[in-house]
Amino acid sequence: MKNQEKIGLSIGSATGENVRNIGSFGINSCHAALWLREDLPRHFRRLREELGMRYVRCHGIFNDQLEAVAPDGSFHFEKPLTVLERILDNGQIPFLELSGMPGALARTEESVCHYRFRSAPPRDWRRWEELVEQFLHVLIERFSREELCRWYFEVWNEPDLPFWTGTQEEYFKLYDLSRAAIKRQDSRFRVGGPATSKTAWIADFCRHVSAPSPEDPSPGCRCDFVSTHAYPSDIAFLDGAEGEVRLQSADLLPRLLTRVRQTMKLLPEPVPLFLGEWNSSAGPLAFNHDECANAAFIVKTMAELRSVCTGSLFWNGSDIYEECGFHSAPFHGGYGLLNVNGIPKASFHAFRFLRAVSGEELSAVWSRPAKCLGALAAREQKTVRLLLWNYLDPEKENETFEIRIDGLKSGAVCEQVMPENGSAYESWLRQGAPEFASVAELSQLESASHPRRFRYSADAGISLAPGEIALLTFELPEMIEP
């Protein structure tokens, strides 16, 4: 067995700023109709209570399953309203993606995904505008203008991919008609886009919304936020369960989003930037979503994007998910923080640890360079929380480190996410990867989903293997040597 690399970490003085946690801003679910189930709202309630996830985004509020537009073209919003009420009942707020072309309005029969997300532009553009306008009327009546001022309205999903079969010019027309219909109801309502994959179209979108258009002739900046998506893998989208996925380094995301932030200088005024979808890969049914190492990917990404993005919405909150059809195996490569049985994955704990590190940020300096290692520390009154990660880079060799915290006495409480301790996926593999787990097997997986808890030893430090994360909690000044 290879010896562990020894490395020290010094926790220093306050930086003068509070830690920004963009990870708790929001979370995605699959398509809106799944909110009519009883289990999905329960999953998202837990994400709100334990991870602080405030906003919820989902595809297809106008999909045919929700019957917003009847075959005769009349509008009926009972089921979309039920979806939104369930989100609000959880104490969460809609990040409302206006998408899914109703069959009665669609120009063609084209669709993607198992649940048939209709991707065609409307036959009659005026009818789309009327749909959005009447929907806003109903939302105001049901929820109030002041409530809707808390929401974000996003026009469509990934129009650069098969989710939209029109042209870029037609997407901009859809955006303009939607924005104009919303702003006519209340100029305070926040509208944005383009919700593209791999940060595509940002420059074109910024130029487009910087000047009036025939469909939306209002002056000034015609977007209240910019949203886009990024996944560090070699594909942007797969419409199905097949396809090999090659992971790329997490360093791709800060590069892409920093470039987006620079491009946004084309706008007449600064607006928020939201990373509206992201995960360690875009490919469906990829086991990197289930593995322990996804935790280190998440904390590294969120720590590095804190100064770039206003908020993030991770894809996805739950494995109750249907883009490729529903899968009932406890682990099947689903994107969720919770598996279909509601068992937390390592990724769940990553967001929990990130939320815990709050208050005044403290400097954290390694004794020597180690690019795979990261640390984030913060103080609330006398309590210090220190988040450590050892990122498993798919493009490089990785090492296990023995980390000593300079001056820290023994006794600090430590939680560590590692295979079979905070990451149940590896326990499922050891069970033989059963597709239908028994009650006893599910109980074992639930137990394995809890991180290892122990007391930090100044003599031994903490051993962190590639892909693992740890959260240390201690009190000042008694836990620090003078």
Side-chain angles (χ1 to χ4, degrees):
M1 180 177 175
K2 185 178 178 181
N3 292 332
Q4 297 183 16
E5 293 285 331
K6 291 181 171 61
I7 193 167
L9 178 67
S10 296
I11 306 301
S13 58
T15 64
E17 296 183 354
N18 284 346
V19 172
R20 289 189 65 240
N21 177 15
I22 64 172
S24 288
F25 174 82
I27 189 74
N28 281 278
S29 64
C30 184
H31 65 113
L34 290 178
W35 278 86
L36 302 180
R37 295 171 60 112
E38 294 302 318
D39 48 4
L40 186 75
R42 287 199 301 270
H43 284 197
F44 276 75
R45 190 175 307 117
R46 184 172 184 183
L47 301 181
R48 175 67 177 123
E49 292 171 352
E50 298 187 36
L51 308 184
M53 297 294 188
R54 303 190 305 279
Y55 283 88
V56 172
R57 175 180 178 270
C58 54
H59 299 333
I61 198 69
F62 295 141
N63 276 2
D64 287 343
Q65 296 98 323
L66 295 182
E67 301 173 344
V69 183
D72 64 3
S74 58
F75 300 151
H76 304 273
F77 299 120
E78 290 84 359
K79 289 183 179 179
L81 288 173
T82 298
V83 168
L84 298 170
E85 286 170 349
R86 291 191 169 193
I87 291 171
L88 291 166
D89 286 346
N90 270 358
Q92 294 171 308
I93 309 167
F95 194 101
L96 185 52
E97 176 194 308
L98 301 173
S99 71
M101 189 60 62
L105 304 187
R107 189 165 68 193
T108 68
E109 291 293 317
E110 293 166 300
S111 67
V112 294
C113 300
H114 171 78
Y115 58 84
R116 293 202 68 201
F117 179 103
R118 291 187 182 271
S119 53
R123 290 193 306 273
D124 182 342
W125 291 92
R126 176 58 188 157
R127 287 294 288 159
W128 170 266
E129 187 176 25
E130 290 172 350
L131 171 65
V132 174
E133 191 160 28
Q134 290 196 31
F135 190 40
L136 263 292
H137 277 306
V138 171
L139 293 180
I140 291 169
E141 290 177 0
R142 181 66 62 92
F143 303 116
S144 83
R145 291 179 182 274
E146 295 306 316
E147 171 60 37
L148 267 61
C149 285
R150 300 197 303 155
W151 300 18
Y152 290 89
F153 295 89
E154 183 184 50
V155 181
W156 214 257
N157 173 68
E158 297 182 338
D160 58 310
L161 295 182
F163 282 101
W164 177 251
T165 55
T167 63
Q168 184 190 78
E169 182 181 5
E170 287 177 314
Y171 168 72
F172 288 160
K173 183 174 182 176
L174 187 86
Y175 175 86
D176 293 346
L177 290 170
S178 303
R179 180 185 182 275
I182 294 169
K183 292 291 187 177
R184 279 196 297 271
Q185 311 312 307
D186 198 313
S187 62
R188 298 175 297 170
F189 295 165
R190 296 175 290 193
V191 187
T196 44
S197 74
K198 284 209 169 179
T199 68
W201 294 9
I202 299 300
D204 291 340
F205 179 75
C206 289
R207 283 188 285 264
H208 176 74
V209 299
S210 296
S213 75
E215 290 79 19
D216 182 16
S218 54
C221 183
R222 295 190 302 106
C223 76
D224 299 299
F225 63 89
V226 169
S227 60
T228 191
H229 307 164
Y231 296 81
S233 61
D234 60 334
I235 60 170
F237 173 71
L238 283 177
D239 184 19
E242 302 301 325
E244 293 295 323
V245 177
R246 182 178 62 82
L247 300 183
Q248 297 170 323
S249 173
D251 294 339
L252 175 66
L253 270 67
R255 290 200 304 270
L256 288 174
L257 274 298
T258 298
R259 188 184 311 153
V260 169
R261 181 57 82 179
Q262 289 296 114
T263 304
M264 288 171 60
K265 292 180 179 179
L266 292 168
L267 294 170
E269 60 189 60
V271 300
L273 168 60
F274 295 116
L275 179 54
E277 283 187 25
W278 65 284
N279 202 320
S280 51
S281 75
L285 311 184
F287 284 106
N288 53 280
H289 304 139
D290 297 328
E291 293 170 347
C292 178
N294 214 28
F297 161 77
I298 288 168
V299 296
K300 169 183 166 65
T301 300
M302 289 290 89
E304 294 177 352
L305 288 177
R306 290 179 298 144
S307 62
V308 180
C309 297
T310 308
S312 95
L313 296 105
F314 186 76
W315 185 267
N316 194 283
S318 170
D319 280 352
I320 298 172
Y321 181 90
E322 285 189 331
E323 279 199 1
C324 316
F326 189 85
H327 291 76
S328 56
F331 295 98
H332 51 267
Y335 296 100
L337 300 178
L338 298 171
N339 82 345
V340 290
N341 312 104
I343 296 173
K345 301 183 188 179
S347 53
F348 176 95
H349 296 297
F351 284 103
R352 184 169 63 83
F353 286 9
L354 283 164
R355 186 192 187 196
V357 183
S358 61
E360 192 174 25
E361 185 168 355
L362 305 176
S363 65
V365 181
W366 296 101
S367 59
R368 59 182 174 84
K371 192 171 186 301
C372 59
L373 290 178
L376 180 65
R379 179 180 64 202
E380 285 187 303
Q381 297 180 342
K382 291 185 177 182
T383 301
V384 173
R385 292 181 178 87
L386 170 62
L387 174 57
L388 303 172
W389 61 90
N390 184 357
Y391 171 59
L392 176 60
D393 194 320
E395 298 179 347
K396 299 176 182 175
E397 290 189 11
N398 300 273
E399 297 177 302
T400 296
F401 286 86
E402 181 185 301
I403 302 169
R404 305 287 182 94
I405 315 300
D406 293 350
L408 182 60
K409 299 178 183 178
S410 298
V413 176
C414 184
E415 284 189 88
Q416 186 169 356
V417 175
M418 53 202 304
E420 302 195 68
N421 287 271
S423 179
Y425 167 71
E426 292 79 10
S427 295
W428 176 72
L429 291 180
R430 190 164 51 81
Q431 290 175 345
E435 182 175 359
F436 298 100
S438 67
V439 172
E441 287 169 331
L442 288 175
S443 178
Q444 291 170 359
L445 295 178
E446 174 63 35
S447 296
S449 74
H450 296 282
R452 176 191 175 215
R453 291 182 63 91
F454 60 99
R455 294 282 181 175
Y456 174 82
S457 166
D459 295 329
I462 178 171
S463 176
L464 210 61
E468 295 180 356
I469 64 174
L471 178 68
L472 281 76
T473 303
F474 55 92
E475 301 296 316
L476 293 176
E478 55 266 27
M479 292 297 295
I480 296 291
E481 296 281 3

